[in-house]
Amino acid sequence: MRELLKTKKRIVVKIGSSMLTDAEGHLDPKVFGALAEEVATLCKLGKKIILVSSGAIAAGMKRMGLSKKPQQIPKKQAMAAVGQTALMHEYEKSFGKRGLMVA
């Protein structure tokens, strides 16, 4: 797989909620830092990285004190709205330290 990536100019990475959170369900700054470091390294090698991330619902659940993921779409949307700012804040902190912008 690594050999294949060497020839690619653009790489899409999908990160799930379980990768971004610790055992208690909090967003894990160490994970964001490690991810940002990997992406920064790839960027320095001339790669264009597209990072697609889950995590907004999980972050919203933690902020709202829920332990079980809601099943109703409006409640999932509410959790995503609450969690999106926390998720982007973690990305912005970690990637910003390495001179990278997030959107």
Side-chain angles (χ1 to χ4, degrees):
M1 179 62 99
R2 289 190 184 268
E3 284 299 316
L4 178 64
L5 291 177
K6 287 181 182 178
T7 64
K8 302 300 176 187
K9 293 180 183 176
R10 185 175 300 132
I11 301 169
V12 179
V13 179
K14 167 65 168 82
I15 304 293
S17 300
S18 63
M19 294 291 297
L20 299 173
T21 54
D22 62 19
E24 289 87 37
H26 294 101
L27 294 175
D28 189 345
K30 290 181 276 186
V31 172
F32 285 84
L35 180 59
E37 192 62 38
E38 290 288 333
V39 170
T41 298
L42 290 169
C43 288
K44 288 176 187 172
L45 294 173
K47 307 296 182 186
K48 299 214 183 276
I49 307 300
I50 300 166
L51 180 65
V52 181
S53 172
S54 297
I57 292 174
M61 287 173 49
K62 198 60 182 174
R63 290 180 104 184
M64 298 300 292
L66 298 179
S67 58
K68 186 177 177 191
K69 186 175 181 180
Q71 297 304 306
Q72 301 87 355
I73 290 175
K75 289 185 179 181
K76 286 181 183 179
Q77 290 171 325
M79 292 304 103
V82 169
Q84 185 66 26
T85 55
L87 181 66
M88 291 308 296
H89 180 72
E90 286 299 329
Y91 276 120
E92 194 170 68
K93 281 191 317 187
S94 296
F95 281 70
K97 288 178 184 176
R98 290 152 181 92
L100 299 171
M101 274 201 315
V102 299

